[in-house]
Structures are given as structure tokens and as C-alpha cells.
Amino acid sequence: MHWKTWPRWLRDTCSVVGAMSLVLIGYDLFFATKVVWWQVPLQILVAFIAVGLWSFYSYRSQAKRRAADQQKALAAQQRAERLAAQQQAAAKQAAATQRRNRQRNQQHQHQQSTEDQRDDS
């Protein structure tokens, strides 16, 4: 199995635990006065489990957060599109109402002028 095909959280866990293991073994070799060597693999295993669990849940939480953010962005975009469509419909309706009012006013003015002409005659 290739390293790149592993999940990101597992690769990060191996990197961190590998570095921690080197530091632990280096400390035990150079600075510790009484080392219980049979505990070193157990300490590394416990570190792998702890860091692995933390890393797994951290990446899963980030994925959920990203999905929620994408859903929010999609909802905002749909809201903006719906608002734009409503504004466009309102503008069309306002133009139609303005056109009707203009025609009604023109008819009213025409009637007024014909009535005025009749009255003058």
C-alpha cells in the first residue's frame, strides 16, 4: 500500500508518532538514568492510539464543518437568486402598471379634450 493512498489523518498520525518516538528513544538513551525498555513499545503504541484518535476526529470534524459551510453558501446563493428573480418580477410588474396608468391618463386626457371641444361648440 502506497503512502499517498492512506487517509490524511493516518499519514499525519504516523508522522507525529514517528517524530515523538525518536524523541522518546533519544531521551531514554542519553538522559534517562533508569530506562524500562519493555515499556517503550507500549508507550509508542499508546501515543499512536491517542494521536490517531485525536487526528481522526479532528479531520472528521473539519469535513463536517466544510460541508456545513458549503451548504450555507449554496443556501445564500439560492436566496440571492430568488431575491433577484423577485426584484425582476417586481420591476416588470411596475413597468406594466406604469404603462397602464399612462394609457389610462392618455385616454382620460383625450376624453377631456373631446368634451372641451363639444362644450366650446
Side-chain angles (χ1 to χ4, degrees), residues 24-37:
L24 173 69
I25 292 170
Y27 177 81
D28 286 345
L29 283 174
F30 297 113
F31 299 111
T33 54
K34 187 174 181 181
V35 179
V36 183
W37 286 105

Short mmCIF file of all heavy atoms in Angstrom, two decimals, residues 24-37:
data_model
loop_
_atom_site.label_atom_id
_atom_site.label_comp_id
_atom_site.label_asym_id
_atom_site.label_seq_id
_atom_site.Cartn_x
_atom_site.Cartn_y
_atom_site.Cartn_z
N LEU A 24 11.51 10.25 22.16
CA LEU A 24 11.43 9.40 23.35
C LEU A 24 12.64 8.48 23.45
O LEU A 24 13.27 8.38 24.53
CB LEU A 24 10.14 8.56 23.31
CG LEU A 24 9.98 7.51 24.40
CD1 LEU A 24 9.79 8.19 25.76
CD2 LEU A 24 8.85 6.58 24.10
N ILE A 25 12.99 7.83 22.36
CA ILE A 25 14.14 6.91 22.39
C ILE A 25 15.44 7.69 22.61
O ILE A 25 16.32 7.25 23.38
CB ILE A 25 14.18 6.08 21.08
CG1 ILE A 25 12.99 5.12 21.06
CG2 ILE A 25 15.49 5.32 20.96
CD1 ILE A 25 12.77 4.43 19.73
N GLY A 26 15.57 8.85 21.97
CA GLY A 26 16.76 9.68 22.19
C GLY A 26 16.89 10.11 23.63
O GLY A 26 17.98 10.08 24.22
N TYR A 27 15.79 10.51 24.23
CA TYR A 27 15.83 10.91 25.63
C TYR A 27 16.22 9.73 26.52
O TYR A 27 17.04 9.86 27.43
CB TYR A 27 14.46 11.46 26.06
CG TYR A 27 14.40 11.82 27.52
CD1 TYR A 27 14.92 13.03 27.97
CD2 TYR A 27 13.86 10.94 28.44
CE1 TYR A 27 14.90 13.35 29.32
CE2 TYR A 27 13.83 11.26 29.79
CZ TYR A 27 14.35 12.46 30.23
OH TYR A 27 14.32 12.78 31.56
N ASP A 28 15.58 8.56 26.24
CA ASP A 28 15.89 7.38 27.05
C ASP A 28 17.36 6.96 26.90
O ASP A 28 17.98 6.52 27.86
CB ASP A 28 14.98 6.20 26.66
CG ASP A 28 13.56 6.37 27.16
OD1 ASP A 28 13.34 7.25 28.04
OD2 ASP A 28 12.65 5.66 26.68
N LEU A 29 17.92 7.11 25.72
CA LEU A 29 19.33 6.72 25.50
C LEU A 29 20.31 7.66 26.18
O LEU A 29 21.30 7.23 26.78
CB LEU A 29 19.64 6.66 24.00
CG LEU A 29 19.12 5.45 23.24
CD1 LEU A 29 19.38 5.63 21.75
CD2 LEU A 29 19.79 4.18 23.74
N PHE A 30 20.05 8.98 26.08
CA PHE A 30 21.06 9.94 26.51
C PHE A 30 20.82 10.57 27.89
O PHE A 30 21.77 10.99 28.54
CB PHE A 30 21.20 11.06 25.46
CG PHE A 30 21.68 10.54 24.14
CD1 PHE A 30 20.85 10.55 23.04
CD2 PHE A 30 22.96 10.02 24.01
CE1 PHE A 30 21.29 10.07 21.82
CE2 PHE A 30 23.41 9.54 22.79
CZ PHE A 30 22.57 9.56 21.68
N PHE A 31 19.58 10.69 28.30
CA PHE A 31 19.32 11.44 29.53
C PHE A 31 18.71 10.63 30.67
O PHE A 31 18.90 10.97 31.83
CB PHE A 31 18.39 12.63 29.23
CG PHE A 31 18.99 13.59 28.25
CD1 PHE A 31 18.47 13.72 26.98
CD2 PHE A 31 20.10 14.36 28.59
CE1 PHE A 31 19.02 14.61 26.07
CE2 PHE A 31 20.65 15.23 27.68
CZ PHE A 31 20.11 15.37 26.41
N ALA A 32 17.98 9.58 30.35
CA ALA A 32 17.32 8.81 31.41
C ALA A 32 18.35 7.97 32.17
O ALA A 32 19.30 7.44 31.59
CB ALA A 32 16.25 7.91 30.80
N THR A 33 18.16 7.87 33.48
CA THR A 33 19.11 7.12 34.29
C THR A 33 18.72 5.65 34.39
O THR A 33 19.57 4.77 34.34
CB THR A 33 19.18 7.71 35.71
OG1 THR A 33 17.88 7.77 36.26
CG2 THR A 33 19.82 9.09 35.66
N LYS A 34 17.42 5.41 34.51
CA LYS A 34 16.97 4.02 34.60
C LYS A 34 15.80 3.86 33.65
O LYS A 34 14.70 4.33 33.91
CB LYS A 34 16.55 3.69 36.03
CG LYS A 34 16.23 2.26 36.23
CD LYS A 34 15.96 1.95 37.69
CE LYS A 34 15.68 0.47 37.84
NZ LYS A 34 15.38 0.12 39.21
N VAL A 35 16.03 3.17 32.53
CA VAL A 35 15.01 3.01 31.50
C VAL A 35 14.42 1.62 31.57
O VAL A 35 15.14 0.62 31.66
CB VAL A 35 15.61 3.24 30.09
CG1 VAL A 35 14.56 3.06 29.01
CG2 VAL A 35 16.26 4.61 30.01
N VAL A 36 13.11 1.55 31.52
CA VAL A 36 12.43 0.27 31.44
C VAL A 36 12.11 0.07 29.95
O VAL A 36 11.11 0.56 29.43
CB VAL A 36 11.13 0.26 32.29
CG1 VAL A 36 10.47 -1.09 32.26
CG2 VAL A 36 11.45 0.68 33.71
N TRP A 37 12.98 -0.67 29.25
CA TRP A 37 12.91 -0.75 27.79
C TRP A 37 11.68 -1.49 27.29
O TRP A 37 11.24 -1.25 26.17
CB TRP A 37 14.19 -1.37 27.24
CG TRP A 37 15.34 -0.41 27.31
CD1 TRP A 37 16.37 -0.45 28.19
CD2 TRP A 37 15.53 0.74 26.50
NE1 TRP A 37 17.21 0.59 27.99
CE2 TRP A 37 16.72 1.36 26.93
CE3 TRP A 37 14.84 1.33 25.46
CZ2 TRP A 37 17.23 2.51 26.37
CZ3 TRP A 37 15.34 2.48 24.89
CH2 TRP A 37 16.52 3.06 25.34
#
